[in-house]
Amino acid sequence: MIESFARTDAAVVRGIGTGLSLLPVGIRLALFAAALLVGMAGCTAAWVDYQDYQPSLNICRADEVHRTDCIHLDRTAPNAAEVAR
């Protein structure tokens, strides 16, 4: 099954490469520059958005009862009254 996807992906990439090779060199360079600029803009937007990132709390797993460097949560199941709210 994986082989069929790999062959399909390879065929798509080969088709795109064939299509790009038919274009003049100037247009190929312009497309490359545009793709590079779009990638740089996306990375810049992600970096700017990351500036407000607050790391999540270090929550202990259920089996880590002896650790002191993480937060232990009350793992009791909610009752029916709490779920209905």
Side-chain angles (χ1 to χ4, degrees):
M1 178 106 173
I2 298 293
E3 294 83 18
S4 63
F5 285 115
R7 276 186 250 141
T8 303
D9 292 343
V12 169
V13 171
R14 190 172 29 254
I16 291 172
T18 303
L20 287 176
S21 68
L22 297 174
L23 294 174
V25 175
I27 293 177
R28 278 190 266 171
L29 287 173
L31 286 174
F32 176 74
L36 185 66
L37 288 174
V38 167
M40 288 172 55
C43 287
T44 301
W47 177 76
V48 167
D49 186 48
Y50 185 76
Q51 300 301 311
D52 295 332
Y53 172 74
Q54 295 293 326
S56 61
L57 298 174
N58 188 11
I59 306 294
C60 297
R61 293 192 308 256
D63 61 335
E64 298 177 323
V65 293
H66 299 294
R67 285 185 57 184
T68 59
D69 62 337
C70 56
I71 298 171
H72 296 276
L73 298 178
D74 180 24
R75 299 184 191 282
T76 58
N79 60 26
E82 290 175 351
V83 173
R85 279 191 243 170

